[in-house]
Coordinates of all heavy atoms in Angstrom, one line a residue:
F736 N 83.8 86.6 116.3 CA 85.2 87.0 116.0 C 85.4 86.9 114.5 O 85.1 85.9 113.9 CB 86.2 86.2 116.7 CG 86.2 86.5 118.2 CD1 85.3 86.0 119.1 CD2 87.1 87.4 118.7 CE1 85.3 86.2 120.4 CE2 87.2 87.7 120.1 CZ 86.3 87.1 120.9
S737 N 86.1 87.8 113.9 CA 86.5 87.7 112.5 C 87.7 88.5 112.2 O 88.3 89.1 113.1 CB 85.3 88.2 111.6 OG 85.2 89.6 111.8
G738 N 88.2 88.5 111.0 CA 89.3 89.3 110.6 C 90.6 88.9 111.3 O 90.9 87.7 111.3
V739 N 91.3 89.8 112.0 CA 92.5 89.5 112.7 C 92.4 88.6 113.9 O 93.3 88.0 114.4 CB 93.4 90.7 113.0 CG1 93.8 91.5 111.8 CG2 92.6 91.6 114.0
L740 N 91.1 88.5 114.4 CA 90.9 87.7 115.6 C 90.2 86.4 115.2 O 89.3 85.9 115.8 CB 90.0 88.4 116.6 CG 90.7 89.6 117.3 CD1 89.7 90.2 118.3 CD2 91.9 89.1 118.1
A741 N 90.8 85.8 114.2 CA 90.4 84.4 113.7 C 91.5 83.5 114.1 O 92.7 83.8 114.1 CB 90.2 84.4 112.2
Q742 N 91.2 82.2 114.5 CA 92.2 81.3 115.0 C 93.3 81.1 114.0 O 94.5 81.0 114.4 CB 91.6 80.0 115.4 CG 92.6 79.1 116.2 CD 92.0 77.9 116.9 OE1 90.8 77.8 116.9 NE2 92.8 77.1 117.4
D743 N 93.0 81.0 112.7 CA 94.0 80.7 111.7 C 95.0 81.9 111.6 O 96.2 81.7 111.4 CB 93.5 80.3 110.4 CG 92.6 81.4 109.8 OD1 92.0 82.2 110.5 OD2 92.5 81.4 108.5
V744 N 94.5 83.1 111.8 CA 95.4 84.3 111.8 C 96.3 84.3 113.0 O 97.5 84.6 112.9 CB 94.5 85.6 111.7 CG1 95.4 86.8 111.8 CG2 93.7 85.6 110.4
L745 N 95.7 84.0 114.2 CA 96.5 84.0 115.4 C 97.6 82.9 115.3 O 98.7 83.1 115.7 CB 95.6 83.7 116.6 CG 94.6 84.9 116.9 CD1 93.7 84.4 118.1 CD2 95.3 86.1 117.2
E746 N 97.3 81.7 114.7 CA 98.3 80.7 114.5 C 99.4 81.1 113.5 O 100.5 80.9 113.8 CB 97.6 79.4 114.0 CG 96.8 78.7 115.1 CD 95.9 77.6 114.6 OE1 95.8 77.4 113.3 OE2 95.3 76.9 115.4
A747 N 99.0 81.9 112.5 CA 100.0 82.4 111.5 C 100.9 83.4 112.2 O 102.1 83.5 112.0 CB 99.3 83.0 110.3
L748 N 100.3 84.2 113.1 CA 101.0 85.2 113.8 C 102.1 84.5 114.8 O 103.2 85.0 114.9 CB 100.1 86.1 114.6 CG 100.7 87.2 115.5 CD1 101.6 88.1 114.6 CD2 99.7 88.0 116.2
L749 N 101.6 83.4 115.4 CA 102.6 82.7 116.3 C 103.7 82.1 115.4 O 104.9 82.2 115.9 CB 101.8 81.5 117.0 CG 101.0 81.9 118.2 CD1 100.1 80.8 118.6 CD2 101.8 82.4 119.3
E750 N 103.4 81.6 114.2 CA 104.5 81.1 113.4 C 105.4 82.2 113.0 O 106.7 82.0 113.0 CB 103.8 80.5 112.1 CG 104.8 79.8 111.2 CD 104.2 79.2 110.0 OE1 103.0 78.8 110.1 OE2 104.9 79.0 109.0
L751 N 104.9 83.4 112.6 CA 105.8 84.5 112.2 C 106.6 85.0 113.4 O 107.8 85.2 113.2 CB 104.9 85.7 111.8 CG 105.6 87.0 111.4 CD1 106.6 86.8 110.3 CD2 104.6 88.1 111.1
Q752 N 106.1 85.0 114.6 CA 106.9 85.4 115.8 C 108.0 84.4 116.0 O 109.1 84.8 116.4 CB 106.0 85.4 117.0 CG 105.1 86.7 117.0 CD 104.1 86.7 118.2 OE1 103.2 87.5 118.1 NE2 104.3 85.9 119.2
D753 N 107.7 83.1 115.8 CA 108.8 82.1 116.0 C 109.9 82.3 114.9 O 111.1 82.1 115.3 CB 108.2 80.7 115.8 CG 107.3 80.2 117.0 OD1 107.4 80.9 118.1 OD2 106.6 79.3 116.9
M754 N 109.5 82.6 113.7 CA 110.5 82.8 112.7 C 111.3 84.0 113.0 O 112.6 84.0 112.9 CB 109.8 83.0 111.3 CG 109.3 81.7 110.7 SD 108.3 81.9 109.2 CE 108.7 83.4 108.5
L755 N 110.7 85.1 113.5 CA 111.5 86.3 113.8 C 112.4 86.1 115.0 O 113.5 86.6 115.1 CB 110.5 87.5 114.1 CG 109.7 88.0 113.0 CD1 108.7 89.0 113.4 CD2 110.7 88.6 111.9
A756 N 111.9 85.3 116.0 CA 112.8 85.0 117.2 C 114.0 84.2 116.8 O 115.0 84.3 117.4 CB 111.9 84.2 118.2
A757 N 113.9 83.4 115.7 CA 115.0 82.6 115.2 C 115.9 83.3 114.2 O 117.0 82.7 113.8 CB 114.5 81.3 114.6
T758 N 115.6 84.5 113.8 CA 116.4 85.2 112.8 C 117.7 85.8 113.4 O 117.7 86.3 114.5 CB 115.5 86.4 112.3 OG1 114.3 85.8 111.7 CG2 116.3 87.2 111.2
T759 N 118.7 85.7 112.6 CA 120.0 86.3 113.0 C 120.4 87.2 111.8 O 120.0 86.9 110.7 CB 121.1 85.3 113.3 OG1 121.3 84.4 112.2 CG2 120.7 84.4 114.5
A760 N 121.3 88.1 112.1 CA 121.9 89.0 111.1 C 123.3 89.2 111.4 O 123.8 89.1 112.6 CB 121.2 90.3 111.1
R761 N 124.1 89.4 110.4 CA 125.6 89.7 110.6 C 125.8 91.2 110.6 O 125.5 91.9 109.6 CB 126.3 89.0 109.5 CG 127.8 89.0 109.7 CD 128.2 87.5 110.1 NE 129.6 87.5 110.3 CZ 130.1 87.0 111.3 NH1 129.4 86.4 112.2 NH2 131.4 86.9 111.5
V762 N 126.2 91.7 111.7 CA 126.5 93.2 111.9 C 127.9 93.4 112.4 O 128.2 92.8 113.5 CB 125.4 93.8 112.9 CG1 125.7 95.3 113.1 CG2 124.0 93.5 112.4
A763 N 128.7 94.1 111.7 CA 130.0 94.4 112.1 C 130.8 93.1 112.5 O 131.5 93.1 113.5 CB 130.0 95.4 113.2
G764 N 130.6 92.1 111.6 CA 131.4 90.9 111.9 C 130.8 90.0 113.0 O 131.5 89.0 113.4
R765 N 129.7 90.3 113.5 CA 129.1 89.6 114.7 C 127.7 89.2 114.3 O 126.9 89.9 113.8 CB 129.1 90.5 115.9 CG 128.6 90.0 117.1 CD 128.7 90.9 118.3 NE 128.0 90.4 119.4 CZ 126.9 90.8 119.9 NH1 126.3 91.9 119.4 NH2 126.4 90.3 121.0
N766 N 127.3 87.9 114.7 CA 125.9 87.5 114.6 C 125.1 88.2 115.7 O 125.4 88.1 116.8 CB 125.8 86.0 114.7 CG 126.3 85.3 113.5 OD1 126.2 85.8 112.4 ND2 126.7 84.0 113.6
V767 N 124.0 88.8 115.2 CA 123.1 89.4 116.2 C 121.7 88.8 116.0 O 121.2 88.5 114.9 CB 123.0 90.9 115.8 CG1 122.0 91.6 116.7 CG2 124.3 91.6 115.9
S768 N 121.1 88.5 117.2 CA 119.8 87.9 117.2 C 118.8 88.7 118.1 O 119.2 89.7 118.7 CB 119.9 86.5 117.8 OG 120.3 86.5 119.1
L769 N 117.6 88.3 118.2 CA 116.6 89.0 118.9 C 117.0 89.3 120.3 O 116.8 90.4 120.8 CB 115.2 88.2 118.9 CG 114.1 88.8 119.7 CD1 113.7 90.2 119.1 CD2 112.9 87.9 119.7
Q770 N 117.6 88.3 121.0 CA 117.9 88.5 122.4 C 119.0 89.6 122.6 O 119.2 90.1 123.7 CB 118.3 87.2 123.1 CG 119.5 86.5 122.5 CD 119.2 85.1 122.1 OE1 118.1 84.8 121.7 NE2 120.2 84.3 122.3
D771 N 119.7 89.9 121.5 CA 120.7 91.0 121.6 C 120.1 92.4 121.6 O 120.7 93.3 122.0 CB 121.7 90.9 120.5 CG 122.5 89.6 120.5 OD1 123.0 89.2 121.6 OD2 122.6 88.9 119.5
V772 N 118.9 92.5 121.0 CA 118.3 93.8 120.8 C 116.9 94.0 121.5 O 116.4 95.1 121.5 CB 118.2 94.1 119.3 CG1 119.5 94.2 118.7 CG2 117.3 93.1 118.6
C773 N 116.4 92.9 122.1 CA 115.1 93.0 122.7 C 115.0 93.7 124.0 O 116.1 93.8 124.7 CB 114.4 91.6 122.7 SG 115.0 90.6 124.1
Y774 N 113.9 94.1 124.4 CA 113.6 94.6 125.7 C 113.3 93.5 126.6 O 112.3 92.8 126.4 CB 112.5 95.7 125.7 CG 112.0 96.2 127.0 CD1 112.9 96.9 127.8 CD2 110.8 96.0 127.5 CE1 112.6 97.4 129.1 CE2 110.4 96.5 128.7 CZ 111.3 97.2 129.5 OH 110.9 97.7 130.7
A775 N 114.1 93.2 127.6 CA 113.9 92.1 128.5 C 114.0 92.6 130.0 O 115.1 92.4 130.6 CB 115.0 91.0 128.3
P776 N 113.0 93.2 130.5 CA 113.0 93.8 131.8 C 113.3 92.8 133.0 O 113.8 93.2 134.0 CB 111.7 94.5 132.0 CG 110.8 93.8 131.1 CD 111.6 93.3 129.9
L777 N 112.9 91.6 132.8 CA 113.1 90.6 133.9 C 114.4 89.9 133.9 O 114.8 89.3 134.9 CB 111.9 89.6 133.9 CG 110.5 90.2 134.1 CD1 109.5 89.1 134.0 CD2 110.4 91.0 135.4
N778 N 115.2 90.1 132.8 CA 116.5 89.5 132.8 C 117.3 90.4 131.8 O 117.7 89.9 130.7 CB 116.4 88.0 132.3 CG 117.8 87.4 132.3 OD1 118.8 87.9 132.8 ND2 117.9 86.2 131.7
P779 N 117.7 91.6 132.2 CA 118.3 92.5 131.3 C 119.8 92.2 131.0 O 120.3 92.6 130.0 CB 118.2 93.9 132.0 CG 118.0 93.6 133.4 CD 117.3 92.2 133.5
T780 N 120.5 91.5 131.9 CA 121.9 91.3 131.7 C 122.2 90.2 130.7 O 123.2 90.3 129.9 CB 122.6 91.0 133.0 OG1 122.0 89.9 133.7 CG2 122.6 92.2 133.9
E781 N 121.5 89.0 130.7 CA 121.7 87.9 129.8 C 120.4 87.4 129.3 O 120.0 86.2 129.6 CB 122.5 86.9 130.4 CG 124.0 87.3 130.7 CD 124.8 86.1 131.2 OE1 124.7 85.0 130.6 OE2 125.6 86.3 132.1
P782 N 119.6 88.1 128.5 CA 118.3 87.6 128.1 C 118.4 86.5 127.1 O 119.3 86.5 126.2 CB 117.6 88.9 127.5 CG 118.8 89.7 127.0 CD 119.9 89.5 128.0
G783 N 117.4 85.6 127.2 CA 117.2 84.6 126.2 C 116.0 85.1 125.4 O 115.3 86.0 125.8
V784 N 115.7 84.4 124.3 CA 114.5 84.8 123.5 C 113.2 84.8 124.3 O 112.4 85.6 124.2 CB 114.4 83.9 122.3 CG1 113.1 84.1 121.5 CG2 115.5 84.1 121.3
G785 N 113.1 83.8 125.3 CA 111.9 83.7 126.1 C 111.8 84.9 127.1 O 110.8 85.1 127.7
D786 N 112.9 85.6 127.3 CA 112.9 86.8 128.2 C 112.4 88.1 127.5 O 112.1 89.0 128.2 CB 114.2 87.0 128.8 CG 114.7 85.9 129.7 OD1 113.9 85.3 130.5 OD2 115.9 85.5 129.5
C787 N 112.4 88.1 126.2 CA 112.0 89.3 125.5 C 110.6 89.6 125.7 O 109.7 88.8 125.6 CB 112.3 89.1 124.0 SG 114.1 88.8 123.6
A788 N 110.3 90.9 125.9 CA 108.9 91.3 126.1 C 108.2 91.4 124.7 O 108.8 91.9 123.8 CB 108.9 92.7 126.7
V789 N 107.1 90.7 124.6 CA 106.4 90.7 123.3 C 105.0 91.4 123.5 O 104.3 91.0 124.4 CB 106.1 89.2 122.9 CG1 105.3 89.2 121.6 CG2 107.5 88.5 122.7
S790 N 104.7 92.3 122.7 CA 103.4 93.0 122.7 C 102.6 92.5 121.6 O 102.8 92.9 120.4 CB 103.6 94.5 122.6 OG 104.3 95.0 123.8
S791 N 101.8 91.5 121.8 CA 101.0 90.9 120.8 C 99.7 90.3 121.4 O 99.8 89.9 122.6 CB 101.8 89.8 120.1 OG 101.1 89.0 119.3
V792 N 98.7 90.2 120.6 CA 97.5 89.5 121.1 C 97.8 88.0 121.5 O 97.1 87.5 122.4 CB 96.3 89.6 120.1 CG1 96.7 88.8 118.8 CG2 95.0 89.2 120.6
T793 N 98.8 87.4 120.9 CA 99.1 86.1 121.2 C 99.7 85.9 122.6 O 99.7 84.8 123.2 CB 100.1 85.5 120.2 OG1 101.3 86.2 120.2 CG2 99.5 85.4 118.8
Q794 N 100.1 87.0 123.2 CA 100.6 87.0 124.6 C 99.5 86.5 125.6 O 99.8 86.0 126.6 CB 101.2 88.3 125.0 CG 101.9 88.3 126.3 CD 103.1 87.4 126.4 OE1 103.9 87.3 125.4 NE2 103.2 86.6 127.4
Y795 N 98.3 86.8 125.2 CA 97.2 86.3 126.1 C 97.2 84.8 126.2 O 96.5 84.2 127.1 CB 95.8 86.7 125.6 CG 95.6 88.2 125.8 CD1 95.6 89.1 124.7 CD2 95.4 88.8 127.0 CE1 95.4 90.4 124.8 CE2 95.2 90.2 127.2 CZ 95.2 91.0 126.1 OH 95.0 92.3 126.2
F796 N 97.9 84.1 125.3 CA 98.0 82.6 125.3 C 99.5 82.2 125.6 O 99.9 81.1 125.2 CB 97.5 82.1 124.0 CG 96.1 82.6 123.7 CD1 96.0 83.6 122.8 CD2 95.0 82.0 124.3 CE1 94.7 84.1 122.5 CE2 93.8 82.5 124.0 CZ 93.6 83.6 123.1
Q797 N 100.3 83.1 126.2 CA 101.7 82.9 126.4 C 102.5 82.5 125.2 O 103.4 81.8 125.3 CB 101.9 81.9 127.6 CG 101.5 82.3 128.9 CD 99.9 82.3 129.1 OE1 99.3 81.3 128.6 NE2 99.4 83.3 129.7
N798 N 102.0 83.1 124.0 CA 102.7 82.8 122.7 C 102.8 81.3 122.5 O 103.9 80.8 122.0 CB 104.0 83.5 122.6 CG 103.9 85.0 122.7 OD1 103.1 85.5 122.0 ND2 104.7 85.6 123.5
N799 N 101.8 80.5 122.9 CA 101.9 79.1 122.8 C 100.7 78.5 122.1 O 99.5 78.7 122.5 CB 101.9 78.6 124.3 CG 102.0 77.1 124.4 OD1 101.2 76.3 123.9 ND2 103.0 76.7 125.2
R800 N 100.9 77.8 121.0 CA 99.9 77.2 120.2 C 99.0 76.3 121.0 O 97.8 76.2 120.8 CB 100.5 76.4 119.0 CG 100.9 77.2 117.9 CD 101.6 76.4 116.8 NE 102.3 77.2 115.9 CZ 103.4 77.8 116.1 NH1 104.0 77.7 117.2 NH2 103.9 78.6 115.1
S801 N 99.6 75.5 121.9 CA 98.8 74.5 122.7 C 97.7 75.3 123.6 O 96.6 74.8 123.7 CB 99.7 73.7 123.6 OG 100.5 72.9 122.8
R802 N 98.1 76.4 124.1 CA 97.2 77.1 125.0 C 96.1 77.8 124.1 O 95.0 77.9 124.5 CB 98.0 78.2 125.8 CG 98.8 77.5 126.9 CD 99.3 78.5 127.9 NE 100.0 77.8 128.9 CZ 101.3 77.8 129.1 NH1 102.1 78.4 128.3 NH2 101.8 77.1 130.2
L803 N 96.5 78.2 122.9 CA 95.5 78.8 122.0 C 94.5 77.7 121.6 O 93.3 78.1 121.5 CB 96.2 79.3 120.7 CG 95.3 79.9 119.6 CD1 94.5 81.1 120.1 CD2 96.1 80.3 118.4
A804 N 94.9 76.5 121.5 CA 94.0 75.4 121.1 C 93.2 74.8 122.2 O 92.3 74.0 121.9 CB 94.8 74.3 120.4
L805 N 93.4 75.2 123.4 CA 92.7 74.6 124.5 C 91.2 74.9 124.5 O 90.8 76.0 124.1 CB 93.3 75.1 125.9 CG 94.6 74.6 126.3 CD1 95.0 75.3 127.6 CD2 94.5 73.1 126.6
S806 N 90.4 73.9 125.0 CA 89.0 74.1 125.3 C 88.7 73.4 126.5 O 89.4 72.4 126.9 CB 88.1 73.7 124.1 OG 88.3 72.3 123.9
A807 N 87.6 73.8 127.2 CA 87.2 73.1 128.4 C 85.7 73.1 128.6 O 85.0 74.1 128.1 CB 87.9 73.8 129.6
W808 N 85.2 72.2 129.3 CA 83.8 72.1 129.6 C 83.6 73.0 130.8 O 84.4 72.9 131.8 CB 83.4 70.7 129.9 CG 82.0 70.5 130.4 CD1 81.6 70.3 131.7 CD2 80.8 70.6 129.6 NE1 80.2 70.3 131.7 CE2 79.7 70.5 130.5 CE3 80.5 70.9 128.3 CZ2 78.4 70.5 130.1 CZ3 79.2 70.9 127.9 CH2 78.2 70.7 128.7
Q809 N 82.6 73.8 130.8 CA 82.3 74.7 132.0 C 80.8 74.7 132.3 O 80.0 74.8 131.4 CB 82.8 76.1 131.6 CG 82.6 77.1 132.7 CD 83.2 78.4 132.3 OE1 84.4 78.5 132.1 NE2 82.4 79.5 132.3
Q810 N 80.5 74.8 133.6 CA 79.2 75.0 134.0 C 79.1 76.1 135.0 O 79.9 76.2 135.9 CB 78.6 73.7 134.7 CG 77.1 73.9 135.0 CD 76.5 72.6 135.4 OE1 77.1 71.5 135.3 NE2 75.3 72.6 135.9
D811 N 78.3 77.1 134.7 CA 78.1 78.3 135.5 C 76.6 78.4 135.9 O 75.8 78.9 135.1 CB 78.6 79.5 134.8 CG 78.5 80.8 135.6 OD1 78.4 80.7 136.9 OD2 78.6 81.9 135.0
G812 N 76.3 77.8 137.1 CA 74.9 77.8 137.4 C 74.2 76.8 136.5 O 74.6 75.6 136.4
K813 N 73.1 77.2 135.8 CA 72.4 76.3 134.9 C 73.0 76.4 133.5 O 72.7 75.6 132.7 CB 71.0 76.7 134.9 CG 70.2 76.4 136.2 CD 68.8 76.8 136.1 CE 68.1 76.5 137.4 NZ 66.7 76.7 137.4
E814 N 73.9 77.4 133.2 CA 74.5 77.5 131.9 C 75.7 76.6 131.8 O 76.5 76.4 132.8 CB 75.1 79.0 131.7 CG 74.1 80.1 131.8 CD 73.4 80.3 130.5 OE1 74.1 80.1 129.4 OE2 72.3 80.8 130.4
Q815 N 75.8 75.9 130.7 CA 76.9 74.9 130.5 C 77.3 74.9 129.1 O 76.5 75.2 128.2 CB 76.5 73.5 131.0 CG 75.3 73.0 130.4 CD 74.9 71.7 131.1 OE1 75.7 71.1 131.8 NE2 73.7 71.2 130.8
G816 N 78.5 74.6 128.8 CA 79.0 74.5 127.5 C 80.6 74.5 127.4 O 81.2 74.4 128.5
T817 N 81.1 74.6 126.2 CA 82.5 74.5 126.0 C 83.0 75.9 125.9 O 82.5 76.8 125.2 CB 82.8 73.7 124.8 OG1 82.3 72.4 124.9 CG2 84.3 73.6 124.5
V818 N 84.1 76.2 126.6 CA 84.8 77.5 126.4 C 86.1 77.2 125.7 O 86.7 76.2 125.8 CB 85.1 78.2 127.8 CG1 83.8 78.5 128.5 CG2 85.9 77.3 128.7
D819 N 86.6 78.3 124.9 CA 87.8 78.1 124.2 C 88.5 79.5 124.1 O 88.3 80.3 125.0 CB 87.5 77.6 122.8 CG 86.6 78.5 121.9 OD1 86.3 79.7 122.4 OD2 86.2 78.1 120.8
W820 N 89.4 79.7 123.1 CA 90.2 80.9 123.1 C 89.4 82.1 123.0 O 89.8 83.2 123.5 CB 91.2 80.8 121.9 CG 90.5 80.8 120.5 CD1 90.0 79.8 119.8 CD2 90.3 82.0 119.8 NE1 89.5 80.3 118.6 CE2 89.7 81.7 118.6 CE3 90.6 83.4 120.0 CZ2 89.4 82.6 117.6 CZ3 90.3 84.3 119.0 CH2 89.7 83.9 117.8
H821 N 88.2 82.1 122.4 CA 87.3 83.3 122.3 C 87.0 83.7 123.7 O 87.1 84.9 124.1 CB 86.0 82.9 121.6 CG 86.1 82.5 120.2 ND1 86.2 81.2 119.9 CD2 86.1 83.2 119.1 CE1 86.2 81.1 118.6 NE2 86.2 82.3 118.0
D822 N 86.6 82.8 124.6 CA 86.2 83.1 125.9 C 87.4 83.6 126.8 O 87.2 84.6 127.5 CB 85.5 81.9 126.6 CG 84.4 81.4 125.8 OD1 83.3 82.0 125.9 OD2 84.5 80.3 125.1
H823 N 88.5 83.0 126.5 CA 89.7 83.4 127.3 C 90.1 84.9 126.9 O 90.4 85.7 127.8 CB 90.9 82.5 126.9 CG 92.1 82.8 127.6 ND1 92.3 82.6 129.0 CD2 93.3 83.4 127.2 CE1 93.5 83.0 129.3 NE2 94.1 83.5 128.2
L824 N 90.0 85.2 125.6 CA 90.4 86.5 125.2 C 89.4 87.6 125.7 O 89.8 88.6 126.2 CB 90.4 86.6 123.7 CG 91.0 87.8 123.0 CD1 92.4 88.1 123.5 CD2 90.9 87.8 121.5
I825 N 88.1 87.2 125.7 CA 87.1 88.2 126.2 C 87.3 88.4 127.7 O 87.3 89.5 128.2 CB 85.7 87.6 126.0 CG1 85.3 87.7 124.5 CG2 84.6 88.4 126.8 CD1 84.1 87.0 124.1
Y826 N 87.6 87.3 128.5 CA 87.9 87.4 129.9 C 89.1 88.3 130.2 O 89.1 89.1 131.1 CB 88.1 86.0 130.5 CG 88.5 86.0 131.9 CD1 87.5 86.2 132.9 CD2 89.8 85.8 132.3 CE1 87.8 86.2 134.2 CE2 90.1 85.8 133.7 CZ 89.1 86.0 134.6 OH 89.4 86.0 136.0
C827 N 90.2 88.1 129.4 CA 91.4 88.9 129.6 C 91.3 90.4 129.3 O 91.8 91.2 130.0 CB 92.5 88.3 128.8 SG 93.1 86.7 129.4
V828 N 90.6 90.7 128.2 CA 90.5 92.1 127.8 C 89.3 92.8 128.4 O 89.2 93.9 128.6 CB 90.5 92.3 126.3 CG1 91.8 91.8 125.7 CG2 89.4 91.6 125.6

């Protein structure tokens, strides 16, 4: 993996998403935030930021740094080793 699929880039993307989720703007005398304008199909009447649909490679890790950083020992027959975010991404896509 290289380029945009490097762990440091994914971590920076998570940070950017957090910053955007916390952003507010003043429009027509009212504070407007992401939950006011996002697509939230599972909670359309009163969405919170966590309800907003996010289309991002980081969604494979539930937009969570801890899940991106996870690794585990795995044995598959005689093959054994450590699996991490690379393996998870390959499995998902």
